[in-house]
Amino acid sequence: LCCCEYVDRRGERNHLAACCCDCQDLDEGCERWLTGKSLPSGTLERIADTVADRVRVPWFAGAVKINISLVPPLVLLPVLLHVAALHFLLGLLILTSLPVVVLWYYYLTHRKKERTLFFLSLGLFSLAYMYYVFLQEVVPRGHVEYSQVVALTCGLILMLAALSRAKKDPGYLPISSSNRRSLHQGFSNKSDKGSSNGVTASGAASSRAVNGEAKGYSRMSAEEPESVKKDWCTKCQLVRPARAGHCRLCGRCVRRLDHHCVWINSCVGERNHQAFILALSFFMLTAVYGITLTLHTICRGRTPFVALFYCPGAYSDYSSALSFTCVWYCAIVTAGMGYILLIQLLNISYNVTEREARLALRDNTGRRLLGGLVIDTGQYNRGFLCNWGHFLSLGSSPPQRSAEDIV
């Protein structure tokens, strides 16, 4: 293949120059739209699949397919922030609607049980773009010292390092080769079907799953030394140890499954939970520090909290307006991530996972504490210090494999 050629989803050799050619579904859809006729069932899905398959960029060994869910943040975020910097009312409208759109898209993908790179792309590009605006618009004003820029950069690097660690294996339970082949086949079938936003759905996802927990398992009589029952997962065909769960998006069972995080596009489990908390903590520290430096620069003589709500000279020039708009965008994101971090810290303090809290709410077996911020199941709570000691020791030694796991 040359750099502009590729093998399409039908297994045929194609060229980038033919991206708008030979699409019968699109031709039929346009013809029916012009004549006022209704589209047959599934036409829009087939058109979306064709478009997603043809969005590619030239590469050495053939054109590489681009996941469409990566594109909207790269294009829309700078445009919306620059438009929001034109006027106060535009900024209020855009910064209010952005969280609503992101939450709507999260609800849409969560309901369809689909994986998407949209949130990871949005998070990483937001960090990169905010850092770019800080260097281009804030630092040249001369009120930020070199050591402060270095401190902010180090915080960003540490956060990305922790995020990279959190993206690794969360503690997947081993599956047999036959189940691995069937799982791979399920993913391939879902990839062929595709979706309108370019996300890839898990082949092992089931419409019967509730709160991230597959309902198709039976209780086993085998007991661990702690007299905690194990579960049999019919999806992965294995016996799960205590606190493990099946992720309906990844299609795998994870040790001490906490939840599937859309911001890292991966599960949070036994082996990456510590890195996940570190990434959130470094993000909070870096974001708050960057917001403080920016507000001290564009709103001289005011405290950061007061300047966030009252900064008369923020829209005196476009550079200050853009910086102030980015500060508010960072503040909204930081508030959301701060809430997630708070819930995580409270859950760790009571030694309960997010999955266990949801199941306890569903079965009405847990106690609501601190105004409902945490659900104490009471099953693993051994006190504040013991709970944190247990969390800090996660993944320190390789898990023991039982005879049922080996079989």
Side-chain angles (χ1 to χ4, degrees):
L1 298 177
C2 74
C3 62
C4 296
E5 291 182 325
Y6 63 95
V7 178
D8 60 20
R9 61 192 182 96
R10 295 177 297 181
E12 300 177 359
R13 191 165 179 165
N14 214 325
H15 198 277
L16 288 179
C19 62
C20 297
C21 305
D22 190 22
C23 183
Q24 297 180 358
D25 293 319
L26 181 59
D27 295 339
E28 181 183 357
C30 293
E31 181 179 353
R32 285 179 171 271
W33 179 70
L34 291 175
T35 56
K37 298 179 181 179
S38 60
L39 294 176
S41 177
T43 301
L44 292 178
E45 287 77 5
R46 291 193 297 271
I47 293 175
D49 294 343
T50 302
V51 172
D53 186 53
R54 296 182 180 184
V55 178
R56 298 174 181 263
V57 294
W59 201 247
F60 299 105
V64 178
K65 184 178 178 180
I66 299 178
N67 195 314
I68 297 182
S69 61
L70 294 173
V71 178
L74 305 181
V75 177
L76 294 180
L77 183 63
V79 173
L80 291 177
L81 290 179
H82 278 275
V83 172
L86 295 175
H87 194 272
F88 169 74
L89 294 179
L90 285 175
L92 182 63
L93 176 64
I94 291 176
L95 293 178
T96 303
S97 59
L98 265 179
V100 176
V101 173
V102 172
L103 289 175
W104 169 81
Y105 186 70
Y106 167 76
Y107 171 76
L108 181 65
T109 55
H110 183 74
R111 187 180 62 177
K112 293 183 177 181
K113 308 177 184 67
E114 295 175 340
R115 297 186 67 180
T116 175
L117 293 174
F118 172 83
F119 299 98
L120 179 61
S121 172
L122 177 62
L124 293 177
F125 185 68
S126 295
L127 287 173
Y129 190 70
M130 295 302 105
Y131 187 68
Y132 169 78
V133 171
F134 179 78
L135 294 181
Q136 290 293 116
E137 306 294 342
V138 179
V139 174
R141 293 173 177 263
H143 300 295
V144 180
E145 298 179 1
Y146 177 76
S147 59
Q148 294 174 324
V149 177
V150 172
L152 185 68
T153 305
C154 290
L156 186 61
I157 293 174
L158 290 174
M159 192 277 297
L160 292 176
L163 180 62
S164 176
R165 176 61 187 87
K167 282 284 295 174
K168 295 182 179 179
D169 180 16
Y172 292 123
L173 289 172
I175 58 178
S176 62
S177 57
S178 59
N179 289 329
R180 188 177 293 108
R181 286 194 297 269
S182 62
L183 180 66
H184 177 73
Q185 182 65 30
F187 273 105
S188 300
N189 293 338
K190 287 291 183 179
S191 299
D192 292 340
K193 291 180 181 179
S195 60
S196 59
N197 55 10
V199 297
T200 303
S202 169
S206 170
S207 60
R208 296 175 298 171
V210 177
N211 292 327
E213 175 70 14
K215 295 172 67 177
Y217 65 85
S218 58
R219 289 286 181 181
M220 303 295 290
S221 59
E223 293 186 351
E224 291 187 333
E226 297 83 4
S227 299
V228 179
K229 290 185 178 181
K230 297 180 180 181
D231 293 329
W232 170 258
C233 180
T234 58
K235 299 295 182 181
C236 300
Q237 295 294 307
L238 52 81
V239 177
R240 298 188 303 212
R243 311 192 75 177
H246 184 89
C247 177
R248 61 180 181 176
L249 298 179
C250 297
R252 296 284 300 276
C253 283
V254 182
R255 292 183 180 275
R256 197 183 178 278
L257 175 64
D258 190 85
H259 69 288
H260 182 95
C261 181
V262 297
W263 294 105
I264 65 174
N265 194 33
S266 177
C267 289
V268 177
E270 183 178 84
R271 298 188 61 181
N272 68 340
H273 201 169
Q274 295 174 353
F276 179 73
I277 296 297
L278 274 178
L280 281 176
S281 302
F282 281 129
F283 171 81
M284 291 295 299
L285 294 174
T286 305
V288 171
Y289 189 57
I291 290 173
T292 302
L293 291 178
T294 304
L295 289 177
H296 274 313
T297 301
I298 63 177
C299 298
R300 304 289 295 174
R302 289 182 173 83
T303 62
F305 183 78
V306 174
L308 190 61
F309 295 95
Y310 182 71
C311 186
Y315 288 87
S316 59
D317 59 274
Y318 187 76
S319 176
S320 299
L322 180 61
S323 301
F324 189 72
T325 303
C326 290
V327 162
W328 259 106
Y329 175 74
C330 287
I332 293 173
V333 175
T334 303
M337 294 301 169
Y339 176 77
I340 295 176
L341 179 60
L342 175 63
I343 297 300
Q344 286 289 313
L345 295 178
L346 291 175
N347 286 342
I348 294 170
S349 300
Y350 285 91
N351 199 3
V352 61
T353 63
E354 193 68 26
R355 168 181 167 270
E356 291 167 349
R358 288 196 298 263
L359 293 178
L361 281 178
R362 186 192 67 182
D363 301 334
N364 197 22
T365 58
R367 295 187 303 139
R368 291 177 177 267
L369 301 175
L370 302 177
L373 290 177
V374 64
I375 307 298
D376 182 20
T377 62
Q379 189 174 5
Y380 302 100
N381 190 358
R382 300 296 182 268
F384 181 82
L385 294 179
C386 290
N387 293 338
W388 272 95
H390 171 74
F391 173 76
L392 295 177
S393 64
L394 289 178
S396 58
S397 60
Q400 298 294 327
R401 296 180 63 186
S402 63
E404 292 90 343
D405 295 334
I406 298 175
V407 173

